[in-house]
Amino acid sequence: MTVGRLMRRLAGGIVHNWPLKLAAVALALLLYVGLVATQDSNTYPGPIRVDVINQPAGTVVTNQLRTVDEVKYIAPADLGRLTAQDFRATVDLSNVPPTGSATSVRVVVEANDPRVAILDVVPRTIPVVLDELISNTVPVRVNRGSAPPGVDVGATSFTPAQVSVTGPSTAVKKVVAVEVNVSLDPSGINVDQELEGTPVDATGAAVTGVNVSPQTVHVTIPLYTNLQSKTVPINPVLAGVPAPGFRVASVTVSPLTATLEGNANQLATLVSADTAPIQIAGATRAVSQAVALSLPTGVTAVGSPTVDVTVQVQAVTETRTFTAGMRVDGADPSQTYTLSAQTVLLTVFGSTADLDRLGSTAITVGLDVSGLSPGTYQLTVVPLVPSGVTVVAIEPSIVTVTVSGPAPAPSASPPPGAQTPTPLHT
């Protein structure tokens, strides 16, 4: 087919039945005009808040997101004028790198009513700064003011010594310490306060946008108007009691004394320096701790702030007498065994706990009568007691056993060294 012939066919297709095609175009135009006539084309001037969606875990948005300034839309005329509550503006952060630098992100505006069509948004993109959320531990620094005239300043103490700083990585990495500034009262009143600290960088400038945990630092600074010192013995304070059956045997402390500083009126009433409580509740062995001194506010210890305390714990021991029943071991069912005593008195020594356990059950001692022929024998009572318990006395220690009945069948020779009871008479 030639090119000319193809063009003629194409032109014929276009003009073929052209009145019908022209009518179809006119009808479509009429329908469009009718549709537009039933819609309200308008512009909402804003502002509309922008929310973030799909923010990666462990990240934080560090900049203030700008709002949407203008939304062009088409809506049915019966909806009236729309407000900010009729729209939702979002930015998707799923593909935004957490580098701490600004990234331009497309703003998506949707209408709550599905009949509303969004035509345009101003601005179409906004900058978002996404950063990693990290934590770091930094030291606490206490800066105190100058001493008032006539006032001596004691040692500064504070807790905690370190705090946690959490926030965007670009900000957290700048923080080298948390500083607490303390003003000293001109009248010489001791400092004993909970104060908030300020995160600072290497130059001492404050770092914003981070959280400090804990938020406050307890600062204690004694101020003296009549500073004196005094040496007193150290008094270890025990909290709780050892486990049942145990007692405190001894308490040692090192050093034995402490030199204290304070105003003269405070030191005058101190005769010893108590330690912080040493927990021995339920202890069954020695407890050793390094503990601080528990001193009145304004009184401080010279030198080491802690002392070493050792509490020796030992079992409580005693002697008890129990009644033990007699038990015949190795008896021949065809013979009869008569004992001169059915019970013995067993005197034992041991810890209270062991003796309590021993006395909580029936106690028996055995007599080995295996292989005895008819006759009368004297057998030594040999009780078995738990480890940790010692037998002090047995009364009687020897029991007479009378055996009656037919002689037992011969048995194998006794092992070397075995003791054979000697009959009193047959």
PDB file of all heavy atoms in Angstrom, residues 189-214:
ATOM      1  N   ILE A 189      24.167  30.184 105.538  1.00  0.00           N
ATOM      2  CA  ILE A 189      23.282  29.020 105.609  1.00  0.00           C
ATOM      3  C   ILE A 189      23.811  27.930 104.684  1.00  0.00           C
ATOM      4  O   ILE A 189      24.160  28.181 103.532  1.00  0.00           O
ATOM      5  CB  ILE A 189      21.841  29.405 105.218  1.00  0.00           C
ATOM      6  CG1 ILE A 189      21.297  30.459 106.193  1.00  0.00           C
ATOM      7  CG2 ILE A 189      20.937  28.177 105.179  1.00  0.00           C
ATOM      8  CD1 ILE A 189      19.914  30.949 105.843  1.00  0.00           C
ATOM      9  N   ASN A 190      23.858  26.698 105.202  1.00  0.00           N
ATOM     10  CA  ASN A 190      24.374  25.588 104.408  1.00  0.00           C
ATOM     11  C   ASN A 190      23.550  25.385 103.134  1.00  0.00           C
ATOM     12  O   ASN A 190      22.335  25.578 103.122  1.00  0.00           O
ATOM     13  CB  ASN A 190      24.353  24.291 105.224  1.00  0.00           C
ATOM     14  CG  ASN A 190      25.266  24.359 106.431  1.00  0.00           C
ATOM     15  OD1 ASN A 190      26.337  24.936 106.363  1.00  0.00           O
ATOM     16  ND2 ASN A 190      24.829  23.761 107.529  1.00  0.00           N
ATOM     17  N   VAL A 191      24.241  24.936 102.084  1.00  0.00           N
ATOM     18  CA  VAL A 191      23.562  24.593 100.833  1.00  0.00           C
ATOM     19  C   VAL A 191      23.163  23.121 100.904  1.00  0.00           C
ATOM     20  O   VAL A 191      24.006  22.249 101.115  1.00  0.00           O
ATOM     21  CB  VAL A 191      24.478  24.842  99.611  1.00  0.00           C
ATOM     22  CG1 VAL A 191      23.781  24.372  98.327  1.00  0.00           C
ATOM     23  CG2 VAL A 191      24.859  26.302  99.522  1.00  0.00           C
ATOM     24  N   ASP A 192      21.881  22.863 100.723  1.00  0.00           N
ATOM     25  CA  ASP A 192      21.350  21.495 100.709  1.00  0.00           C
ATOM     26  C   ASP A 192      20.124  21.509  99.789  1.00  0.00           C
ATOM     27  O   ASP A 192      18.983  21.577 100.249  1.00  0.00           O
ATOM     28  CB  ASP A 192      20.980  21.047 102.117  1.00  0.00           C
ATOM     29  CG  ASP A 192      20.648  19.559 102.188  1.00  0.00           C
ATOM     30  OD1 ASP A 192      20.741  18.882 101.143  1.00  0.00           O
ATOM     31  OD2 ASP A 192      20.278  19.084 103.277  1.00  0.00           O
ATOM     32  N   GLN A 193      20.375  21.452  98.476  1.00  0.00           N
ATOM     33  CA  GLN A 193      19.319  21.724  97.506  1.00  0.00           C
ATOM     34  C   GLN A 193      19.340  20.737  96.342  1.00  0.00           C
ATOM     35  O   GLN A 193      20.378  20.130  96.037  1.00  0.00           O
ATOM     36  CB  GLN A 193      19.474  23.146  96.935  1.00  0.00           C
ATOM     37  CG  GLN A 193      19.354  24.265  97.959  1.00  0.00           C
ATOM     38  CD  GLN A 193      19.613  25.619  97.323  1.00  0.00           C
ATOM     39  OE1 GLN A 193      20.423  25.740  96.415  1.00  0.00           O
ATOM     40  NE2 GLN A 193      18.913  26.639  97.803  1.00  0.00           N
ATOM     41  N   GLU A 194      18.155  20.615  95.691  1.00  0.00           N
ATOM     42  CA  GLU A 194      18.022  19.935  94.414  1.00  0.00           C
ATOM     43  C   GLU A 194      18.041  21.009  93.324  1.00  0.00           C
ATOM     44  O   GLU A 194      17.171  21.876  93.283  1.00  0.00           O
ATOM     45  CB  GLU A 194      16.709  19.149  94.343  1.00  0.00           C
ATOM     46  CG  GLU A 194      16.638  17.963  95.291  1.00  0.00           C
ATOM     47  CD  GLU A 194      17.447  16.774  94.779  1.00  0.00           C
ATOM     48  OE1 GLU A 194      17.739  16.740  93.565  1.00  0.00           O
ATOM     49  OE2 GLU A 194      17.768  15.888  95.592  1.00  0.00           O
ATOM     50  N   LEU A 195      19.046  20.956  92.454  1.00  0.00           N
ATOM     51  CA  LEU A 195      19.224  22.004  91.442  1.00  0.00           C
ATOM     52  C   LEU A 195      19.281  21.377  90.057  1.00  0.00           C
ATOM     53  O   LEU A 195      19.813  20.283  89.864  1.00  0.00           O
ATOM     54  CB  LEU A 195      20.517  22.783  91.711  1.00  0.00           C
ATOM     55  CG  LEU A 195      20.605  23.481  93.079  1.00  0.00           C
ATOM     56  CD1 LEU A 195      21.995  24.054  93.288  1.00  0.00           C
ATOM     57  CD2 LEU A 195      19.555  24.583  93.181  1.00  0.00           C
ATOM     58  N   GLU A 196      18.717  22.091  89.076  1.00  0.00           N
ATOM     59  CA  GLU A 196      18.770  21.640  87.689  1.00  0.00           C
ATOM     60  C   GLU A 196      20.101  22.038  87.056  1.00  0.00           C
ATOM     61  O   GLU A 196      20.643  23.110  87.350  1.00  0.00           O
ATOM     62  CB  GLU A 196      17.612  22.230  86.884  1.00  0.00           C
ATOM     63  CG  GLU A 196      16.253  21.665  87.259  1.00  0.00           C
ATOM     64  CD  GLU A 196      15.175  22.080  86.272  1.00  0.00           C
ATOM     65  OE1 GLU A 196      15.514  22.743  85.265  1.00  0.00           O
ATOM     66  OE2 GLU A 196      13.995  21.738  86.507  1.00  0.00           O
ATOM     67  N   GLY A 197      20.596  21.146  86.201  1.00  0.00           N
ATOM     68  CA  GLY A 197      21.849  21.421  85.521  1.00  0.00           C
ATOM     69  C   GLY A 197      21.621  21.868  84.087  1.00  0.00           C
ATOM     70  O   GLY A 197      20.530  21.702  83.521  1.00  0.00           O
ATOM     71  N   THR A 198      22.662  22.404  83.488  1.00  0.00           N
ATOM     72  CA  THR A 198      22.620  22.877  82.107  1.00  0.00           C
ATOM     73  C   THR A 198      23.645  22.107  81.282  1.00  0.00           C
ATOM     74  O   THR A 198      24.833  22.114  81.618  1.00  0.00           O
ATOM     75  CB  THR A 198      22.938  24.384  82.029  1.00  0.00           C
ATOM     76  OG1 THR A 198      21.986  25.103  82.824  1.00  0.00           O
ATOM     77  CG2 THR A 198      22.892  24.869  80.594  1.00  0.00           C
ATOM     78  N   PRO A 199      23.215  21.429  80.198  1.00  0.00           N
ATOM     79  CA  PRO A 199      24.189  20.764  79.324  1.00  0.00           C
ATOM     80  C   PRO A 199      25.063  21.813  78.633  1.00  0.00           C
ATOM     81  O   PRO A 199      24.545  22.803  78.110  1.00  0.00           O
ATOM     82  CB  PRO A 199      23.317  20.007  78.322  1.00  0.00           C
ATOM     83  CG  PRO A 199      21.945  19.980  78.924  1.00  0.00           C
ATOM     84  CD  PRO A 199      21.829  21.208  79.758  1.00  0.00           C
ATOM     85  N   VAL A 200      26.371  21.571  78.618  1.00  0.00           N
ATOM     86  CA  VAL A 200      27.287  22.539  78.000  1.00  0.00           C
ATOM     87  C   VAL A 200      28.246  21.803  77.074  1.00  0.00           C
ATOM     88  O   VAL A 200      28.500  20.604  77.226  1.00  0.00           O
ATOM     89  CB  VAL A 200      28.070  23.332  79.069  1.00  0.00           C
ATOM     90  CG1 VAL A 200      27.137  24.183  79.918  1.00  0.00           C
ATOM     91  CG2 VAL A 200      28.884  22.390  79.954  1.00  0.00           C
ATOM     92  N   ASP A 201      28.779  22.568  76.099  1.00  0.00           N
ATOM     93  CA  ASP A 201      29.781  22.002  75.187  1.00  0.00           C
ATOM     94  C   ASP A 201      31.173  22.311  75.695  1.00  0.00           C
ATOM     95  O   ASP A 201      31.352  22.817  76.820  1.00  0.00           O
ATOM     96  CB  ASP A 201      29.555  22.515  73.765  1.00  0.00           C
ATOM     97  CG  ASP A 201      29.685  24.036  73.659  1.00  0.00           C
ATOM     98  OD1 ASP A 201      30.249  24.660  74.593  1.00  0.00           O
ATOM     99  OD2 ASP A 201      29.236  24.597  72.649  1.00  0.00           O
ATOM    100  N   ALA A 202      32.181  22.038  74.884  1.00  0.00           N
ATOM    101  CA  ALA A 202      33.570  22.208  75.315  1.00  0.00           C
ATOM    102  C   ALA A 202      33.919  23.661  75.597  1.00  0.00           C
ATOM    103  O   ALA A 202      34.854  23.941  76.355  1.00  0.00           O
ATOM    104  CB  ALA A 202      34.508  21.639  74.251  1.00  0.00           C
ATOM    105  N   THR A 203      33.182  24.604  75.036  1.00  0.00           N
ATOM    106  CA  THR A 203      33.452  26.025  75.275  1.00  0.00           C
ATOM    107  C   THR A 203      32.672  26.571  76.459  1.00  0.00           C
ATOM    108  O   THR A 203      32.827  27.735  76.817  1.00  0.00           O
ATOM    109  CB  THR A 203      33.123  26.849  74.025  1.00  0.00           C
ATOM    110  OG1 THR A 203      31.706  26.801  73.780  1.00  0.00           O
ATOM    111  CG2 THR A 203      33.861  26.314  72.805  1.00  0.00           C
ATOM    112  N   GLY A 204      31.802  25.738  77.034  1.00  0.00           N
ATOM    113  CA  GLY A 204      30.982  26.203  78.139  1.00  0.00           C
ATOM    114  C   GLY A 204      29.647  26.759  77.716  1.00  0.00           C
ATOM    115  O   GLY A 204      28.853  27.182  78.573  1.00  0.00           O
ATOM    116  N   ALA A 205      29.351  26.750  76.429  1.00  0.00           N
ATOM    117  CA  ALA A 205      28.074  27.258  75.938  1.00  0.00           C
ATOM    118  C   ALA A 205      26.983  26.217  76.151  1.00  0.00           C
ATOM    119  O   ALA A 205      27.224  25.011  76.043  1.00  0.00           O
ATOM    120  CB  ALA A 205      28.173  27.623  74.462  1.00  0.00           C
ATOM    121  N   ALA A 206      25.780  26.681  76.457  1.00  0.00           N
ATOM    122  CA  ALA A 206      24.657  25.776  76.690  1.00  0.00           C
ATOM    123  C   ALA A 206      24.258  25.076  75.397  1.00  0.00           C
ATOM    124  O   ALA A 206      24.276  25.664  74.318  1.00  0.00           O
ATOM    125  CB  ALA A 206      23.471  26.543  77.262  1.00  0.00           C
ATOM    126  N   VAL A 207      23.910  23.799  75.523  1.00  0.00           N
ATOM    127  CA  VAL A 207      23.438  22.996  74.393  1.00  0.00           C
ATOM    128  C   VAL A 207      21.945  22.762  74.594  1.00  0.00           C
ATOM    129  O   VAL A 207      21.527  22.216  75.623  1.00  0.00           O
ATOM    130  CB  VAL A 207      24.174  21.651  74.291  1.00  0.00           C
ATOM    131  CG1 VAL A 207      23.620  20.822  73.138  1.00  0.00           C
ATOM    132  CG2 VAL A 207      25.673  21.879  74.130  1.00  0.00           C
ATOM    133  N   THR A 208      21.137  23.178  73.631  1.00  0.00           N
ATOM    134  CA  THR A 208      19.686  23.032  73.737  1.00  0.00           C
ATOM    135  C   THR A 208      19.208  21.827  72.935  1.00  0.00           C
ATOM    136  O   THR A 208      19.945  21.246  72.143  1.00  0.00           O
ATOM    137  CB  THR A 208      18.987  24.295  73.222  1.00  0.00           C
ATOM    138  OG1 THR A 208      19.345  24.514  71.850  1.00  0.00           O
ATOM    139  CG2 THR A 208      19.395  25.515  74.045  1.00  0.00           C
ATOM    140  N   GLY A 209      17.955  21.456  73.171  1.00  0.00           N
ATOM    141  CA  GLY A 209      17.355  20.375  72.398  1.00  0.00           C
ATOM    142  C   GLY A 209      17.647  18.993  72.920  1.00  0.00           C
ATOM    143  O   GLY A 209      17.378  18.003  72.226  1.00  0.00           O
ATOM    144  N   VAL A 210      18.197  18.864  74.147  1.00  0.00           N
ATOM    145  CA  VAL A 210      18.478  17.552  74.735  1.00  0.00           C
ATOM    146  C   VAL A 210      17.775  17.448  76.084  1.00  0.00           C
ATOM    147  O   VAL A 210      17.453  18.459  76.711  1.00  0.00           O
ATOM    148  CB  VAL A 210      19.990  17.307  74.909  1.00  0.00           C
ATOM    149  CG1 VAL A 210      20.700  17.312  73.569  1.00  0.00           C
ATOM    150  CG2 VAL A 210      20.608  18.348  75.844  1.00  0.00           C
ATOM    151  N   ASN A 211      17.552  16.203  76.522  1.00  0.00           N
ATOM    152  CA  ASN A 211      16.943  15.943  77.827  1.00  0.00           C
ATOM    153  C   ASN A 211      17.987  15.360  78.769  1.00  0.00           C
ATOM    154  O   ASN A 211      18.795  14.515  78.372  1.00  0.00           O
ATOM    155  CB  ASN A 211      15.768  14.968  77.686  1.00  0.00           C
ATOM    156  CG  ASN A 211      14.632  15.551  76.874  1.00  0.00           C
ATOM    157  OD1 ASN A 211      14.320  16.731  76.981  1.00  0.00           O
ATOM    158  ND2 ASN A 211      14.010  14.727  76.042  1.00  0.00           N
ATOM    159  N   VAL A 212      17.933  15.785  80.025  1.00  0.00           N
ATOM    160  CA  VAL A 212      18.872  15.329  81.047  1.00  0.00           C
ATOM    161  C   VAL A 212      18.122  14.472  82.054  1.00  0.00           C
ATOM    162  O   VAL A 212      17.036  14.839  82.517  1.00  0.00           O
ATOM    163  CB  VAL A 212      19.543  16.521  81.756  1.00  0.00           C
ATOM    164  CG1 VAL A 212      20.485  16.027  82.853  1.00  0.00           C
ATOM    165  CG2 VAL A 212      20.297  17.387  80.760  1.00  0.00           C
ATOM    166  N   SER A 213      18.678  13.312  82.393  1.00  0.00           N
ATOM    167  CA  SER A 213      18.068  12.415  83.374  1.00  0.00           C
ATOM    168  C   SER A 213      19.139  11.890  84.339  1.00  0.00           C
ATOM    169  O   SER A 213      20.147  11.344  83.883  1.00  0.00           O
ATOM    170  CB  SER A 213      17.383  11.240  82.669  1.00  0.00           C
ATOM    171  OG  SER A 213      16.794  10.371  83.597  1.00  0.00           O
ATOM    172  N   PRO A 214      18.925  12.068  85.649  1.00  0.00           N
ATOM    173  CA  PRO A 214      17.823  12.793  86.279  1.00  0.00           C
ATOM    174  C   PRO A 214      17.928  14.294  86.039  1.00  0.00           C
ATOM    175  O   PRO A 214      19.002  14.802  85.733  1.00  0.00           O
ATOM    176  CB  PRO A 214      17.973  12.452  87.756  1.00  0.00           C
ATOM    177  CG  PRO A 214      19.428  12.134  87.924  1.00  0.00           C
ATOM    178  CD  PRO A 214      19.863  11.484  86.649  1.00  0.00           C
TER     179      PRO A 214
END
